[in-house]
Structure formats: structure tokens, C-alpha cells
Amino acid sequence: HIKKSYRTNGFEILCGHSFGGLAAINTFVSHPDFYNAYIAIDPSMWWDNQSIIDQMDRPWISDAHKGRLLFVAKANDPGSGDDHHNALLALNQKLIDFDNQANYKWKYEFYDMEDHGSVVVPAEYNALRFLFKGYQMPVKKAMKDPSLLMQHFEVISKRLGYQVIPDEALIDELAKVCIRREFFEQAKQLLMLNTKNYPKSVHADERYKTFIKEYDIQLKN
């Protein structure tokens, strides 16, 4: 339904809190191919006598886990009870025990100042920062050496498992800044990059041709 209703890029995240977090862990362990990334916020791992944690005693890491991302958040909430607290510690220990076998990336984060209810907002924020680690472009460096831009997105694409390309409008703006600073060769490379990444874009094609026509002398010099 989401794919039919919205423009998506194929990178899918399952995020859940409490029993929703339990569902996220269960899916990650049993059906890792369903999503690319999993966020479990203070998951109720105590459910059914920690049955999912017991399931992790048996071989469960498969080829389908390769490249998947997992973020687990634990709140400092004595009110949730010892069972909840101990089960989350047990989950963390399982992940640590299997770390040398893991073909996925994971992070477990403890929130000392948050309870079961308040942990959701900071955990979601930090989870997204973990999933999209390194996503921010090296803008200033890229204006001097545009090749760094594609190297950057190659790394991001490898981490996320799908091809990520820089936004056409942003690259266009970087080229404008380069022109103002008289970095003409760099501007040419950036505009050419847009024509390669967006071959159907009339704007990208016209911008590149107009630039070549207007700055031909500067490029030759």
C-alpha cells in the first residue's frame, strides 16, 4: 500500500516501541529479509518467558541478515519491572555473544534519563542517525574536488544496500557557488554529474549546455 501510494526508494525500516519493539526484534530474528533496517525501542522482551531470546540460543543468523541494520534502545525505567529490565539485558548479551558471527550492523543504546514512555522520541532520532550514519555530504570539500561526492555516495549506497545519488537541485546550487568563486572546472564536473544521474532531466541538460557556452573561455584558460 505504501509503495503504491507514495514515492519510495526501496529502503524499508520497521520501527516499534514496547510490544511493537518486540515485533521488530521477532521479525529481525525470524524474517530479516522483510525489511532493510529494524528499530526496537524498549522492546517487551519478557513476553512469553523470553521466548524470542530463547530462540536466539539456536542458530538464527542467516544469509538474509547480511547488510541489515538493527538499533535497540533501553530506557532506565524501574517502574517497568525486573522482568522487563532483565530481558533487555539478556537481549543485549545475546547480540554481544554473536557479534563475531554477525553479518549485520547493530547498536544498543541505554537512556539513563528516560522512562518507558519518554524514550521514544530521543531513541527514534538516534536510531535514524545510526541507520544513516555518514549520509551528510562533504559540501565544502566536494566544491573543490567533485570526485569526493560520488565516493561519498558509494559508501552510503553500500551501507544502505541501494543506490543513493545526490539531489539534482543541491548539486545545481553547488555548481552556482563554484561559478561565483570561479571554480569553473569543478562547476563543469558537478553539472555533468547531474546529467549522468538524471538523464531524463531537461533542466540538468540545459544547465550543462548553457554553462559550457557561457564559460568556454574560462574553461580553456
Side-chain angles (χ1 to χ4, degrees):
H1 173 73
I2 291 173
K3 289 179 179 178
K4 290 179 180 178
S5 304
Y6 303 95
R7 289 182 297 174
T8 61
N9 57 21
F11 186 79
E12 300 173 352
I13 304 170
L14 178 62
C15 177
H17 166 243
S18 195
F19 277 110
L22 176 72
I25 294 295
N26 181 47
T27 308
F28 172 74
V29 172
S30 304
H31 305 283
D33 53 317
F34 282 9
Y35 296 89
N36 302 91
Y38 297 83
I39 301 172
I41 302 174
D42 218 35
S44 302
M45 301 306 302
W46 54 266
W47 179 81
D48 195 24
N49 296 316
Q50 301 187 16
S51 62
I52 297 177
I53 295 175
D54 290 341
Q55 182 181 336
M56 296 171 75
D57 285 333
R58 300 183 292 275
W60 60 276
I61 299 175
S62 66
D63 290 341
H65 284 91
K66 186 176 181 179
R68 296 300 189 258
L69 299 166
L70 170 67
F71 182 91
V72 181
K74 181 187 183 304
N76 183 17
D77 187 3
S80 294
D82 290 341
D83 289 344
H84 181 81
H85 171 77
N86 293 332
L88 272 167
L89 292 181
L91 172 63
N92 184 36
Q93 189 58 52
K94 290 294 181 188
L95 293 172
I96 292 173
D97 291 343
F98 284 98
D99 192 38
N100 62 339
Q101 302 176 37
N103 52 7
Y104 53 84
K105 295 182 177 66
W106 67 281
K107 184 176 183 180
Y108 181 99
E109 197 161 291
F110 175 67
Y111 292 81
D112 185 47
M113 303 302 293
E114 309 295 342
D115 62 24
H116 185 68
S118 67
V119 71
V120 176
V121 173
E124 284 187 354
Y125 179 80
N126 290 339
L128 292 174
R129 290 186 70 92
F130 166 71
L131 299 187
F132 295 96
K133 182 180 179 180
Y135 196 92
Q136 186 174 359
M137 287 198 313
V139 176
K140 293 182 179 180
K141 292 181 179 179
M143 285 192 293
K144 294 181 179 179
D145 183 2
S147 67
L148 295 176
L149 204 58
M150 293 316 297
Q151 294 174 20
H152 171 79
F153 280 96
E154 284 175 6
V155 173
I156 296 301
S157 297
K158 185 176 181 180
R159 177 178 175 82
L160 299 180
Y162 73 100
Q163 186 179 12
V164 183
I165 59 176
D167 180 71
E168 179 186 354
L170 180 56
I171 298 304
D172 196 51
E173 289 299 317
L174 290 182
K176 290 178 182 178
V177 175
C178 286
I179 292 171
R180 289 199 297 269
R181 296 185 178 183
E182 298 186 349
F183 296 165
F184 298 115
E185 182 58 38
Q186 289 89 334
K188 176 186 175 182
Q189 292 179 37
L190 288 168
L191 293 173
M192 184 185 295
L193 181 62
N194 265 349
T195 64
K196 291 180 178 179
N197 287 335
Y198 301 93
K200 296 182 179 180
S201 171
V202 175
H203 174 78
D205 184 63
E206 289 181 348
R207 280 282 289 127
Y208 179 71
K209 290 179 179 177
T210 300
F211 170 81
I212 295 298
K213 186 183 297 183
E214 292 181 357
Y215 295 96
D216 182 61
I217 296 176
Q218 288 89 337
L219 288 167
K220 289 180 180 179
N221 291 336

